[in-house]
Amino acid sequence: MTEPAGLGERGLALWEEMSSKDVARNALVLEAARIADRLDELDNIIQGKGVLNLMQFRLHLNEIDEDGDRNINVEVKFAAPLAEARQQATAFAAILSKLVPPSVATAAKPADKPVPAGVTPLDRIRARNLKKA
């Protein structure tokens, strides 16, 4: 199966692990992969490593008040990467929950070891891919 263009490292790992021959499933997997990459970008921005235009400016130059004076108004908006990261994480979790059947998600395999706190499903996928390599 051909891999979609534009995926980053985490998105590509997710695509390779979860894609199938089912077109509808692959649409969800692709969106999950894109969100995973977006979350990585947002995390870099939050840590001060990424580049993001955090401020947006809009000038309103042609406003004339009652006295005939020209007013110049500047509108400034600040981006909220933390809020966006939370929203993307919620969307990511919702998509992943649709990709894994409830019976599989709740049934533990006999060979499964307890998962340490803070380990995400993507961390497990990444660890499996490292073992395969």
Side-chain angles (χ1 to χ4, degrees):
M1 176 171 309
T2 57
E3 59 189 45
L7 291 179
E9 181 180 339
R10 193 163 114 170
L12 188 57
L14 187 67
W15 173 261
E16 289 172 351
E17 183 70 24
M18 300 187 81
S19 61
S20 68
K21 293 181 181 182
D22 182 355
V23 175
R25 176 184 172 83
N26 285 349
L28 286 175
V29 172
L30 179 57
E31 286 309 308
R34 288 176 177 156
I35 291 172
D37 288 340
R38 203 170 298 130
L39 283 167
D40 283 346
E41 290 175 29
L42 285 165
D43 187 52
N44 284 336
I45 291 163
I46 291 166
Q47 293 181 33
K49 299 175 187 174
V51 176
L52 176 68
N53 185 3
L54 292 174
M55 291 193 294
Q56 298 173 344
F57 297 92
R58 176 173 284 161
L59 294 175
H60 302 282
L61 300 174
N62 295 326
E63 296 181 11
I64 310 259
D65 63 14
E66 295 138 7
D67 298 333
D69 293 332
R70 183 175 178 196
N71 290 326
I72 298 174
N73 292 315
V74 179
E75 180 182 335
V76 180
K77 291 184 180 181
F78 293 90
L82 285 173
E84 182 61 27
R86 279 192 300 272
Q87 290 174 350
Q88 291 294 317
T90 300
F92 184 64
I95 290 173
L96 286 182
S97 71
K98 293 187 182 331
L99 291 170
V100 179
S103 60
V104 174
T106 57
K109 298 176 187 171
D112 282 351
K113 296 178 184 176
V115 178
V119 176
T120 66
L122 286 176
D123 292 333
R124 285 187 237 141
I125 291 170
R126 189 178 299 137
R128 270 187 290 197
N129 286 339
L130 289 175
K131 288 180 185 178
K132 291 178 185 177

Short mmCIF file of all heavy atoms in Angstrom, two decimals, residues 1 15 18-30 98-99 101:
data_model
loop_
_atom_site.label_atom_id
_atom_site.label_comp_id
_atom_site.label_asym_id
_atom_site.label_seq_id
_atom_site.Cartn_x
_atom_site.Cartn_y
_atom_site.Cartn_z
N MET A 1 0.85 -1.17 0.00
CA MET A 1 0.00 0.00 0.00
C MET A 1 0.90 1.24 0.00
O MET A 1 1.88 1.30 0.72
CB MET A 1 -0.87 -0.04 1.25
CG MET A 1 -1.73 1.17 1.41
SD MET A 1 -2.92 0.98 2.74
CE MET A 1 -3.66 -0.57 2.33
N TRP A 15 0.55 5.31 10.32
CA TRP A 15 -0.02 4.85 9.06
C TRP A 15 0.41 3.42 8.76
O TRP A 15 -0.40 2.56 8.43
CB TRP A 15 0.38 5.78 7.92
CG TRP A 15 -0.03 5.26 6.58
CD1 TRP A 15 0.75 4.60 5.68
CD2 TRP A 15 -1.34 5.33 6.01
NE1 TRP A 15 0.01 4.25 4.58
CE2 TRP A 15 -1.27 4.68 4.74
CE3 TRP A 15 -2.54 5.86 6.42
CZ2 TRP A 15 -2.38 4.58 3.91
CZ3 TRP A 15 -3.64 5.74 5.58
CH2 TRP A 15 -3.55 5.11 4.35
N MET A 18 -1.37 0.92 11.24
CA MET A 18 -2.81 0.80 11.33
C MET A 18 -3.56 0.78 10.00
O MET A 18 -4.74 0.49 9.98
CB MET A 18 -3.36 1.93 12.20
CG MET A 18 -2.82 1.92 13.61
SD MET A 18 -3.62 3.11 14.67
CE MET A 18 -5.10 2.19 15.09
N SER A 19 -2.91 1.09 8.89
CA SER A 19 -3.63 1.11 7.62
C SER A 19 -3.96 -0.32 7.17
O SER A 19 -3.31 -1.27 7.58
CB SER A 19 -2.83 1.85 6.55
OG SER A 19 -1.60 1.20 6.32
N SER A 20 -4.97 -0.42 6.33
CA SER A 20 -5.43 -1.73 5.83
C SER A 20 -5.96 -1.55 4.42
O SER A 20 -5.75 -0.52 3.80
CB SER A 20 -6.51 -2.28 6.76
OG SER A 20 -7.67 -1.50 6.67
N LYS A 21 -6.71 -2.54 3.96
CA LYS A 21 -7.33 -2.44 2.63
C LYS A 21 -8.68 -1.74 2.69
O LYS A 21 -9.27 -1.46 1.66
CB LYS A 21 -7.49 -3.84 2.03
CG LYS A 21 -6.16 -4.49 1.73
CD LYS A 21 -6.34 -5.86 1.12
CE LYS A 21 -4.98 -6.48 0.86
NZ LYS A 21 -5.07 -7.77 0.24
N ASP A 22 -9.17 -1.46 3.89
CA ASP A 22 -10.47 -0.82 4.08
C ASP A 22 -10.32 0.70 3.87
O ASP A 22 -9.63 1.39 4.62
CB ASP A 22 -10.96 -1.11 5.49
CG ASP A 22 -12.33 -0.52 5.78
OD1 ASP A 22 -12.87 0.21 4.93
OD2 ASP A 22 -12.86 -0.80 6.87
N VAL A 23 -10.98 1.22 2.84
CA VAL A 23 -10.86 2.63 2.47
C VAL A 23 -11.36 3.55 3.58
O VAL A 23 -10.71 4.55 3.91
CB VAL A 23 -11.61 2.91 1.15
CG1 VAL A 23 -11.59 4.39 0.80
CG2 VAL A 23 -11.01 2.09 0.01
N ALA A 24 -12.49 3.23 4.18
CA ALA A 24 -13.04 4.07 5.25
C ALA A 24 -12.11 4.10 6.45
O ALA A 24 -11.85 5.16 7.03
CB ALA A 24 -14.43 3.57 5.65
N ARG A 25 -11.58 2.95 6.81
CA ARG A 25 -10.63 2.89 7.93
C ARG A 25 -9.39 3.71 7.60
O ARG A 25 -8.88 4.45 8.44
CB ARG A 25 -10.26 1.44 8.22
CG ARG A 25 -9.20 1.30 9.29
CD ARG A 25 -8.78 -0.16 9.49
NE ARG A 25 -7.65 -0.26 10.37
CZ ARG A 25 -7.70 -0.24 11.70
NH1 ARG A 25 -8.87 -0.11 12.29
NH2 ARG A 25 -6.62 -0.35 12.43
N ASN A 26 -8.90 3.60 6.38
CA ASN A 26 -7.69 4.33 6.01
C ASN A 26 -7.89 5.84 6.05
O ASN A 26 -6.95 6.58 6.34
CB ASN A 26 -7.21 3.90 4.62
CG ASN A 26 -6.53 2.55 4.66
OD1 ASN A 26 -6.25 2.02 5.72
ND2 ASN A 26 -6.27 1.99 3.51
N ALA A 27 -9.11 6.29 5.79
CA ALA A 27 -9.38 7.73 5.89
C ALA A 27 -9.21 8.18 7.34
O ALA A 27 -8.61 9.23 7.60
CB ALA A 27 -10.79 8.03 5.39
N LEU A 28 -9.71 7.38 8.28
CA LEU A 28 -9.53 7.71 9.69
C LEU A 28 -8.07 7.60 10.11
O LEU A 28 -7.56 8.43 10.87
CB LEU A 28 -10.39 6.81 10.56
CG LEU A 28 -11.89 7.08 10.57
CD1 LEU A 28 -12.63 6.02 11.38
CD2 LEU A 28 -12.17 8.46 11.12
N VAL A 29 -7.39 6.57 9.64
CA VAL A 29 -5.98 6.38 9.98
C VAL A 29 -5.16 7.56 9.47
O VAL A 29 -4.28 8.08 10.17
CB VAL A 29 -5.43 5.04 9.42
CG1 VAL A 29 -3.92 4.96 9.60
CG2 VAL A 29 -6.12 3.86 10.09
N LEU A 30 -5.45 8.01 8.25
CA LEU A 30 -4.72 9.14 7.69
C LEU A 30 -4.94 10.40 8.53
O LEU A 30 -3.99 11.13 8.82
CB LEU A 30 -5.13 9.38 6.24
CG LEU A 30 -4.45 10.55 5.53
CD1 LEU A 30 -2.93 10.40 5.55
CD2 LEU A 30 -4.96 10.67 4.10
N LYS A 98 -12.23 4.99 17.46
CA LYS A 98 -13.06 4.43 16.39
C LYS A 98 -12.30 3.37 15.58
O LYS A 98 -12.90 2.52 14.95
CB LYS A 98 -13.54 5.54 15.46
CG LYS A 98 -14.50 6.48 16.14
CD LYS A 98 -15.08 7.46 15.19
CE LYS A 98 -16.01 8.46 15.79
NZ LYS A 98 -16.76 8.12 16.95
N LEU A 99 -10.98 3.44 15.60
CA LEU A 99 -10.17 2.49 14.84
C LEU A 99 -9.97 1.16 15.56
O LEU A 99 -9.75 0.15 14.92
CB LEU A 99 -8.81 3.11 14.51
CG LEU A 99 -8.85 4.26 13.53
CD1 LEU A 99 -7.49 4.96 13.46
CD2 LEU A 99 -9.25 3.78 12.15
N PRO A 101 -11.59 -1.72 17.76
CA PRO A 101 -12.88 -2.23 18.24
C PRO A 101 -12.88 -2.32 19.76
O PRO A 101 -11.86 -2.65 20.37
CB PRO A 101 -12.98 -3.62 17.62
CG PRO A 101 -11.98 -3.64 16.53
CD PRO A 101 -10.93 -2.64 16.87
#
